[in-house]
Structure formats: C-alpha cells, structure tokens
C-alpha cells in the first residue's frame, strides 16, 4: 500500500497571501494524484486531478504541480472561502490512499 | 449536477452491523461509466477508501476491511449501500459516498456531504 504524507499538518496564512501545501508518496504514483478541499458539513470538493489539471469550476488561483513522489498545491492569493482542510490522494495503485490532510487556517 | 446523499443510523453498538445508504440524484447509478464508492474519515485522521461497486454488482474492497464489508446496489432506487459488520470504536468516523469514473487510474469527482457514525454502547 502506498503511504501518502502531507505537510505541514497546519498552515497559518494571511488572506491575500500565497499558500503552498506539500504531498509526498512512498513510491512513484506518476501523475495520478488528486487534491480535495474539505469544509465541515460539506461534501469534499475535487480541486486538482492528474497532479496539475484543475477540475471544472475551480478558480485559477489553485494550481498543482509535481510528479512521481513529490507534489505541491499552491493557492496564489488566499480568499476567505479557501480556509479549509486539503487532502491529497493517489490513484495510481490499488488500494487508493489519502494523506492525513493539511488544515489551512487564517493567520 | 450529480448529488450524493448518505443516510443511516448515527449510533451503532459495538459488535453490531453498521448500515448506510447513498442516494444518487442527477445521474443514473446504472451508467456504464462509473464506480460507486464508500470512504470514511475518523476524527482528526485521513480519509480511508472502503470499497466500491459497479452497476453490474461487482465489488472491490480495501483489504484492511475486506472480511467485514459488503456493498450492494439497488438500481430501482438509484441507491447503493454499505454494511460493515462487527464494529468497534475504531469504526467511528464520518462516512462518505463518492463517484469515480471507470478506469484504472481515476479520481473521485463527486462526493456526498458525509454522515457521522458513532460506535458506542
């Protein structure tokens, strides 16, 4: 089973600033990595798939990069609605596995 | 717009069977193009994929839960269901249903909002 590790566990950033979240896989997952946004009481929302492709309706301030074992989600200018938990998921190898999440909080 | 909604008891006693249903609207569960999945998240922990079902009824489960999990589909109601037997406190989690496109390397594109299930006597 591929272990997915996210860092940091919590990230404090001011509105308008840039946030950079990391995701690492224990072995190569090629570009088969997705990012999700989670807010309490809401359905998780797909942000990025294929490591860098934005899902339908996702603002351009969200961008993903990386391949192999190292990935990054960047939010270029944080809006109030962006403060949430972000989870990455590899779908290269079964069983599909998720990271433990990064909580993005207001500084 | 595809919507998924989980339903079921929020409290289950230890050793009993957890049962949840996911109702799909805005799309047909009989589509050849999608798998229908269950995923859970214990408080403060990461998401864990439980298993999936296809419209034909074929299933695939996470090996860590395989001996206790059963997923079924009810095409007439556009629903699929999860049963997890012999539950313990470790099964306390928010349970989500989600859709994934058919294929070896595909992601979860639509999710339900989740339902909290607590295992306690």
């Amino acid at each position: 089973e591929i272990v997915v590790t996210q860092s940091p566990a919590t990230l404090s950033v001011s509105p308008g600033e840039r946030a950079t979240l990391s995701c690492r896989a224990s072995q190569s997952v090629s570009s088969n990595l997705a990012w999700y946004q989670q807010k309490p009481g809401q359905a998780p929302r797909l942000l990025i798939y294929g490591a860098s492709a934005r899902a339908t309706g996702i603002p351009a301030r969200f961008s993903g990069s990386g391949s192999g074992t190292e990935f990054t989600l960047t939010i270029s200018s944080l809006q109030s609605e962006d403060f949430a938990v972000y989870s990455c998921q590899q779908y290269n190898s079964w069983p599909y596995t998720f990271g433990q999440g990064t909580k993005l909080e207001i500084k | 717009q595809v919507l998924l909604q989980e339903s079921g008891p929020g409290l289950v006693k230890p050793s009993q069977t957890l049962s949840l249903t996911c109702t799909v609207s805005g799309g047909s569960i009989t589509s050849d193009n999608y798998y229908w999945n269950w995923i859970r998240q214990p408080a403060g922990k990461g998401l864990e994929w439980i298993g999936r079902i296809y419209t034909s009824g074929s299933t695939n489960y996470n090996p860590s839960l395989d001996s206790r999990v059963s997923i079924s589909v009810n095409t007439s109601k556009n629903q699929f269901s999860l049963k997890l037997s012999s539950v313990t406190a470790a099964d306390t989690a928010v349970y989500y249903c989600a859709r994934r496109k058919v294929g070896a390397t595909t992601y979860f594109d639509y999710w339900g909002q989740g339902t909290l299930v607590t295992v306690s006597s």
Side-chain angles (χ1 to χ4, degrees):
Chain A
E1 176 174 307
I2 295 177
V3 176
V4 178
T5 304
Q6 292 184 243
S7 61
T10 303
L11 182 62
S12 299
V13 183
S14 300
E17 294 190 340
R18 174 189 297 257
T20 302
L21 290 68
S22 296
C23 177
R24 173 179 292 177
S26 60
Q27 60 191 78
S28 177
V29 299
S30 186
S31 294
N32 296 313
L33 187 109
W35 289 93
Y36 302 91
Q37 180 190 66
Q38 293 183 263
K39 295 181 178 180
Q42 295 186 20
R45 180 188 183 193
L46 173 67
L47 299 175
I48 300 286
Y49 62 93
S52 61
R54 275 191 302 278
T56 302
I58 301 304
R61 65 180 181 272
F62 290 90
S63 63
S65 63
S67 65
T69 62
E70 301 282 343
F71 301 88
T72 300
L73 175 69
T74 301
I75 311 171
S76 60
S77 179
L78 281 163
Q79 307 297 303
S80 58
E81 62 266 29
D82 299 335
F83 292 95
V85 174
Y86 292 84
S87 295
C88 59
Q89 177 232 337
Q90 68 84 17
Y91 51 94
N92 191 69
S93 300
W94 181 84
Y96 304 135
T97 48
F98 296 82
Q100 78 278 24
T102 291
K103 181 180 181 180
L104 182 57
E105 64 177 27
I106 300 174
K107 186 174 182 180
Chain B
Q1 173 79 347
V2 176
L3 293 175
L4 294 88
Q5 179 66 58
E6 305 88 351
S7 60
L11 181 64
V12 181
K13 288 181 167 42
S15 80
Q16 295 191 341
T17 296
L18 178 160
S19 296
L20 295 173
T21 294
C22 181
T23 301
V24 180
S25 58
S28 175
I29 205 167
T30 60
S31 169
D32 291 343
N33 298 321
Y34 299 105
Y35 293 125
W36 304 94
N37 299 261
W38 286 99
I39 296 162
R40 70 180 182 178
Q41 186 170 36
K45 296 188 177 181
L47 294 154
E48 178 183 35
W49 176 75
I50 299 170
R52 61 88 172 156
I53 192 164
Y54 186 58
T55 181
S56 65
S58 70
T59 54
N60 192 225
Y61 302 132
N62 192 319
S64 67
L65 297 167
D66 188 277
S67 62
R68 299 194 292 130
V69 175
S70 175
I71 299 176
S72 60
V73 64
N74 185 331
T75 56
S76 64
K77 293 185 176 181
N78 226 35
Q79 296 175 334
F80 62 107
S81 297
L82 168 71
K83 290 189 185 298
L84 181 66
S85 63
S86 305
V87 297
T88 70
D91 296 309
T92 294
V94 176
Y95 285 76
Y96 297 97
C97 53
R99 187 183 84 167
R100 180 172 72 86
K101 280 187 178 178
V102 168
T105 54
T106 60
Y107 42 86
F108 304 101
D109 59 354
Y110 286 98
W111 298 61
Q113 64 183 34
T115 188
L116 174 63
V117 179
T118 301
V119 178
S120 174
S121 55

